[in-house]
Amino acid sequence: MKNKPLDFQVATAEHVLDAYKKGQRRVLVADEAGLGKTTVASEVVRRVKEELAKEVLEDDGLYCIVYVCCNLQIAQQNIDTLSDDGEKVDLSQSRLSMQHFVYYHKKAKLQAKGKDTLVLSLTPATSFQMTWGTGSVNERALMYACLSLLDEFKSQEVLDSLSELLVGFAPKAWKGMSVDYYNKVREPNMEEYREVIVKAMTSKLSQSFYGEETLLQHLVNLCNAERNQQWKNDVYDFTIKLRKMFADISLEIMKPDLVIMDEFQKFSSLIDTDKDAETEENMIARKFFAKEDTYILLLSATPYKPYTTLEELNDSNNDEQYRDFHHLMDFLNASNEEGKKFKIIWRNYSSVLKNLDKETDETICHTHQEAESMLYNVMG
């Protein structure tokens, strides 16, 4: 149940909406803990739908909200606050490689109820890290169910081999889980999903794996190969590749209208725009945030102090807080032009502050107002 917002929370949400309407797609709401940033976010959710309905509903008839937070327990607590149409988060389906299914499965349920607001939840630890491991049994069971839709796996013999390939270390849970997802992807209201996922898999699996062998051919060959230690090693590596493939499909299928990043400073690597220091996390995140028509709302307790003392500098004499602040501003000012403009204004303001005894009151006030105005454009 949503809380009724207080006047100052309504005013903050109104400022965010004004920024969105002026073309600023990324906004930070920073306030002290306990002042109801989640309530502000819920008001933003409501007003984006009301005031920008044509824009957010015109492509697929859905208002899709993606809530990113540090853990899914927090997500479960906040989903109801964010939207009356939200559903409880299913912890077993939080992986990015599963969101293509979650998106369409929830979409079908909502449309059957005559609703149009879809709330999905992701966490950095489970959604944006794909390098190691073969994933959860839910992930592999869904991959099995999706792959079973392809013509190459129509025969029971090949399908059984695919099941053996993906069972992993969960033989007890596998049978029930694989049958469950096998049936879910074949539900009558999932016809649109089946068309979309088959088209996406066919495209991805037609890519080259090694030499002239495609990914699909390699998968079929693994199903037919002799079971030995080398086969186990190959299956392990290829399952990781499949997880990444389905994560890419999720990124292509998901069409978030509004992304809310709660306490973003706990996973600030997701918004790092420095390509020289790129990690798998922010490579995936960059694809996720690259959609130009997506609104992004960052929530945080006030993340930066106004200055850093000499004692607070790290061993390399670097001001990490100042660096992180500029990473944030690079993210909020998505266009290069705005980013460059901010850097010039901030550099001028910093220079004036360092030389207060040499600057006129007029210059100090002017540079202060310029810097404040630039910040106010992207912060609520």
Side-chain angles (χ1 to χ4, degrees), residues 108-313:
K109 284 185 175 181
L110 285 168
Q111 289 178 333
K113 298 175 184 177
K115 296 184 176 182
D116 59 13
T117 301
L118 173 62
V119 185
L120 303 175
S121 186
L122 302 176
T123 69
T126 61
S127 301
F128 295 95
Q129 295 178 358
M130 304 294 300
T131 301
W132 302 110
T134 56
S136 68
V137 64
N138 284 274
E139 282 181 274
R140 297 194 306 279
L142 179 58
M143 290 193 294
Y144 163 80
C146 291
L147 291 166
S148 72
L149 296 170
L150 299 175
D151 290 340
E152 286 77 6
F153 301 99
K154 293 297 184 186
S155 79
Q156 191 60 50
E157 183 181 356
V158 181
L159 194 58
D160 289 343
S161 294
L162 179 65
S163 176
E164 183 183 357
L165 186 149
L166 290 171
V167 64
F169 301 104
K172 290 183 179 179
W174 176 256
K175 186 173 182 180
M177 199 73 69
S178 58
V179 170
D180 184 45
Y181 278 106
Y182 182 91
N183 292 331
K184 282 180 177 177
V185 301
R186 287 169 169 76
E187 290 174 357
N189 61 1
M190 293 290 278
E191 183 178 356
E192 182 185 6
Y193 170 71
R194 289 192 292 276
E195 292 178 4
V196 169
I197 195 65
V198 167
K199 183 178 180 181
M201 289 189 298
T202 301
S203 174
K204 297 286 185 185
L205 290 169
S206 66
Q207 296 173 10
S208 174
F209 175 72
Y210 183 76
E212 295 184 1
E213 185 183 45
T214 66
L215 288 166
L216 180 57
Q217 288 169 339
H218 186 73
L219 178 57
V220 172
N221 290 338
L222 279 175
C223 288
N224 298 324
E226 179 184 353
R227 273 52 171 166
N228 53 33
Q229 187 57 49
Q230 184 59 50
W231 178 82
K232 290 181 180 178
N233 294 341
D234 291 344
V235 165
Y236 180 89
D237 292 339
F238 198 76
T239 304
I240 295 173
K241 191 173 287 291
L242 285 176
R243 287 183 70 211
K244 290 182 177 181
M245 181 191 83
F246 280 106
D248 276 341
I249 291 174
S250 291
L251 289 169
E252 292 167 5
I253 284 178
M254 289 170 66
K255 300 172 182 176
D257 298 297
L258 175 63
V259 176
I260 300 170
M261 300 178 67
D262 200 350
E263 298 296 344
F264 80 92
Q265 76 277 11
K266 294 180 180 178
F267 43 89
S268 57
S269 62
L270 294 188
I271 65 169
D272 194 341
T273 57
D274 183 3
K275 292 187 178 182
D276 293 333
E278 194 161 57
T279 65
E280 183 184 44
E281 273 186 325
N282 57 32
M283 277 193 292
I284 294 174
R286 186 171 288 115
K287 290 182 184 177
F288 186 62
F289 297 137
K291 301 179 190 300
E292 292 183 358
D293 55 352
T294 297
Y295 294 107
I296 299 176
L297 177 64
L298 275 61
L299 304 177
S300 178
T302 308
Y304 303 108
K305 295 183 298 181
Y307 60 86
T308 299
T309 65
L310 289 173
E311 290 77 12
E312 291 171 328
L313 293 176

Side-chain angles (χ1 to χ4, degrees), residues 10 13-14 17 43-52:
V10 172
E14 188 170 327
L17 260 290
E43 184 68 3
V44 171
V45 167
R46 183 184 69 81
R47 295 188 62 168
V48 165
K49 183 178 180 181
E50 285 185 0
E51 300 178 34
L52 302 170

Side-chain angles (χ1 to χ4, degrees), residues 39-75:
T39 301
V40 171
S42 73
E43 184 68 3
V44 171
V45 167
R46 183 184 69 81
R47 295 188 62 168
V48 165
K49 183 178 180 181
E50 285 185 0
E51 300 178 34
L52 302 170
K54 185 175 184 294
E55 185 177 338
V56 301
L57 293 173
E58 66 180 356
D59 56 346
D60 58 358
L62 273 185
Y63 176 28
C64 180
I65 305 154
V66 176
Y67 179 66
V68 185
C69 64
C70 57
N71 67 69
L72 286 167
Q73 284 72 31
I74 292 176

Side-chain angles (χ1 to χ4, degrees), residues 15 37 75 98 146 234 237 247 304 316 331-332 339 345:
H15 175 71
K37 290 182 291 296
M98 302 182 73
C146 291
D234 291 344
D237 292 339
Y304 303 108
S316 303
F331 178 79
L332 293 174
I345 289 174

Side-chain angles (χ1 to χ4, degrees), residues 14-32:
E14 188 170 327
H15 175 71
V16 173
L17 260 290
D18 285 344
Y20 287 162
K21 290 175 181 178
K22 292 174 182 175
Q24 176 60 42
R25 292 276 174 169
R26 303 175 177 188
V27 179
L28 165 68
V29 170
D31 218 334
E32 297 297 339

